[in-house]
Amino acid sequence: MSFEVTRTVFLEEHEAFRRSVRGFLEREVLPHYAQWEEDGRTPREAWLQAGEIGLLGTSIPLDYGGVGGDFRFDAVVLEELGRLTLGAPAWDMHGYIVAPFLTHFGTEDQKQRWLPRMASGEAIGAIGLTEPHTGSDLGGLRTTAKRVDGGYRINGSKIFITNGIISDLVLLAAKTDPERGPKGISLFLVDTSLPGFRRGRKLKKVGNHAQDTAELFFDDMIVPEDALLGGVENEGWRQLMHGLAQERMVVAVRSMAMAEAAFEQTLDYVRGRSAWGKPVVSFQNTRFKLAEIETEIAVGRPFVDQCIALLAEDRLSERMAAKAKLWTTKLADQVIDDCVQLHGGYGYMREYPIARAWTDARVHRIWAGTDEVMKHIISRTY
C-alpha cells in the first residue's frame, strides 16, 4: 500500500536492487526463519549467500569488494527486512554500522584486511559498547586498553552484543586514558581468534530470537598496535558520535518499515476475519483505528525519507537522527500493539508475523540509545 505518499528518495537503481533483495529474502531466509529462531542464531551460510548478491557491502566502496552505494542502498535492505518482520540475520549491525566506521576512519591496511571479507560474509562484525554497569553511559566505560610492547592489553567485558556469538571482528570501545573521561576512549578492531577473547552466555531475549546476543570478555587480551582504529588514540568519542547517527537511522528505517508492514498485515486480516456474521473491517472501531494508523504512517514517512536522503549525503545531524529514532520507534510500538489487538487471540500467536513484530520491535526504543538519551540529545541545545 502506498499510504498516498509519493516517495522520491529512491531511484530506479535502488528499486531494482529492492526487487533483488525481496526475492532473496523470500527464497533463502523466510522459509528457514522459524528454525533459526529455535536455534537462536543464523547460519554462516546465510551470510555468505547475502555477500554474493551484495547485501552486506551496499555502502562499502568498490575498491574493497562492496557495492559502492550510499545509505539509500542500506535502507532498501532494512526496509525489506522490516517488511517481512525479520529481526535477523543482523546484517545491519555488520554492514551498516560496523563497516562504515572502517570506511570513514580506518587506515588503508585496516580497510584492506577487513572490508572485503565483511562484504563477502567471510568475516562477521559486531560492536562492543555496552557494559554491565554502564548501559547508555559511554563515558562510564570500564574496559581498558593499556599500551604494552607491540600493542595494547585489553581487560573488561561487554554485554548485549549483537552477533557476539558468531562474530569474527568486534569494534571495541575501551579507555586508553581513563583520566580524560569520554575523551579518553579509543576504538579497536578486535580479531576474535586472538588469545584472551572469551564469549560468555548467549543471552535469552524476549524477541529477535534468530539474532544471537552475547556477553563478551577480554582477559589480558593483547591486540597489535595496528588494531587501533585509524591508528590514533583517544579519538573514539568523536568516531562514535559520527557513527551513532547512522546507527540510530538504521533503527528508525527498520521501525518505520515494520509499522507499515503491520498495518498492511492487519488490513488483510480484518478484511478476511468475521465476527457476529460480519467482516471485522466493517465495524466502526476497526475502521477508525486503521484510519488513525494509516494517517500517522503517512505523516511520518516523508520525514524519515528526508533523513535517509540527508544521511546518504553525509549531512544528517546528530539531533535529526535522534528525532527520527525517538519518533519512529514509538510509532512502531504503538502501531504494532494496536494491530495485535485487532488480530484478537491470533495476534498473540508466534505463527503470525504481527506477534513476532510485537516482541521484536520493543527493543528499538532501548538499543542505539534509549528514548531518554534521544531526548537529551535533542534538548541539550535549548
Side-chain angles (χ1 to χ4, degrees):
M1 187 170 182
S2 69
F3 299 98
E4 298 179 318
V5 174
T6 300
R7 304 187 68 185
T8 59
V9 66
F10 297 113
L11 305 176
E12 175 52 35
E13 61 182 320
H14 302 111
E15 296 304 336
F17 181 60
R18 185 188 302 277
R19 292 188 288 272
S20 174
V21 172
R22 182 173 297 186
F24 176 81
L25 293 177
E26 291 176 346
R27 289 191 315 271
E28 306 296 340
V29 174
L30 202 57
H32 309 292
Y33 198 72
Q35 185 60 53
W36 294 353
E37 289 211 305
E38 290 294 322
D39 296 340
R41 68 173 74 184
T42 53
R44 189 167 289 266
E45 181 60 30
W47 292 76
L48 295 172
Q49 289 176 325
E52 287 180 3
I53 67 166
L55 267 66
L56 305 183
T58 43
S59 52
I60 292 176
L62 291 168
D63 290 346
Y64 305 105
V67 172
D70 55 34
F71 183 74
R72 288 176 293 179
F73 284 93
D74 300 348
V76 165
V77 180
L78 291 164
E79 288 184 353
E80 291 308 303
L81 287 167
R83 185 184 70 86
L84 294 174
T85 319
L86 298 172
W91 295 326
D92 46 358
M93 174 59 69
H94 164 92
Y96 317 148
I97 297 173
V98 177
F101 276 99
L102 267 160
T103 300
H104 286 286
F105 301 112
T107 65
E108 184 61 25
D109 286 346
Q110 289 169 343
K111 293 176 184 179
Q112 292 287 354
R113 179 182 180 189
W114 289 110
L115 287 177
R117 294 168 61 206
M118 292 183 73
S120 68
E122 296 172 85
I124 296 174
I127 188 167
L129 300 182
T130 306
E131 297 183 356
H133 304 287
T134 62
S136 296
D137 177 17
L138 295 178
L141 295 181
R142 298 184 183 181
T143 299
T144 60
K146 297 182 179 179
R147 272 193 175 275
V148 296
D149 288 343
Y152 294 83
R153 176 181 284 110
I154 297 177
N155 280 286
S157 65
K158 301 292 179 177
I159 198 167
F160 310 139
I161 307 305
T162 301
N163 293 338
I165 295 295
I166 60 175
S167 59
D168 305 287
L169 168 69
V170 176
L171 179 65
L172 180 74
K175 287 281 185 71
T176 42
D177 189 348
E179 299 300 318
R180 297 182 63 190
K183 294 184 178 180
I185 294 173
S186 298
L187 297 183
F188 292 86
L189 300 166
V190 174
D191 184 335
T192 61
S193 68
L194 293 175
F197 174 80
R198 179 165 53 93
R199 305 181 204 270
R201 294 176 298 155
K202 182 173 70 174
L203 302 172
K204 296 181 179 180
K205 307 186 297 295
V206 172
N208 293 287
H209 295 146
Q211 179 193 100
D212 75 274
T213 304
E215 299 172 308
L216 302 180
F217 298 93
F218 307 85
D219 306 318
D220 285 327
M221 182 182 190
I222 305 297
V223 299
E225 195 168 318
D226 63 6
L228 181 65
L229 181 65
V232 184
E233 276 191 8
N234 303 323
E235 282 291 297
W237 186 261
R238 181 182 68 84
Q239 294 165 344
L240 285 169
M241 291 308 99
H242 182 278
L244 287 176
Q246 174 145 335
E247 183 178 8
R248 286 157 186 163
M249 274 307 299
V250 165
V251 179
V253 170
R254 185 190 285 268
S255 295
M256 195 73 209
M258 290 178 73
E260 291 169 339
F263 173 83
E264 292 169 353
Q265 292 162 12
T266 304
L267 183 58
D268 287 343
Y269 179 82
V270 297
R271 282 171 171 168
R273 180 76 172 170
S274 295
W276 293 283
K278 297 194 298 184
V280 173
V281 74
S282 68
F283 295 106
Q284 186 184 69
N285 178 70
T286 303
R287 297 198 309 273
F288 280 14
K289 179 56 67 177
L290 289 171
E292 290 175 4
I293 292 171
E294 183 181 355
T295 299
E296 289 174 350
I297 290 172
V299 170
R301 168 49 69 193
F303 173 68
V304 176
D305 279 1
Q306 181 187 21
C307 290
I308 292 172
L310 287 171
L311 184 54
E313 298 170 358
D314 201 22
R315 294 195 298 119
L316 183 69
S317 69
E318 185 184 5
R319 290 185 80 241
M320 281 283 279
K323 290 176 185 179
K325 181 184 182 295
L326 177 66
W327 191 84
T328 56
T329 55
K330 283 189 171 184
L331 173 70
D333 258 11
Q334 187 58 61
V335 165
I336 295 168
D337 190 74
D338 288 342
C339 289
V340 166
Q341 191 70 22
L342 288 172
H343 275 74
Y346 288 104
Y348 204 63
M349 299 295 108
R350 288 288 295 178
E351 64 191 270
Y352 278 74
I354 195 66
R356 190 168 70 230
W358 189 52
T359 55
D360 287 359
R362 183 58 183 85
V363 75
H364 291 177
R365 291 173 58 196
I366 298 173
W367 64 21
T370 63
D371 285 359
E372 292 72 26
V373 170
M374 298 304 102
K375 292 174 185 177
H376 170 69
I377 291 169
I378 296 164
S379 66
R380 66 188 176 190
T381 59
Y382 296 162

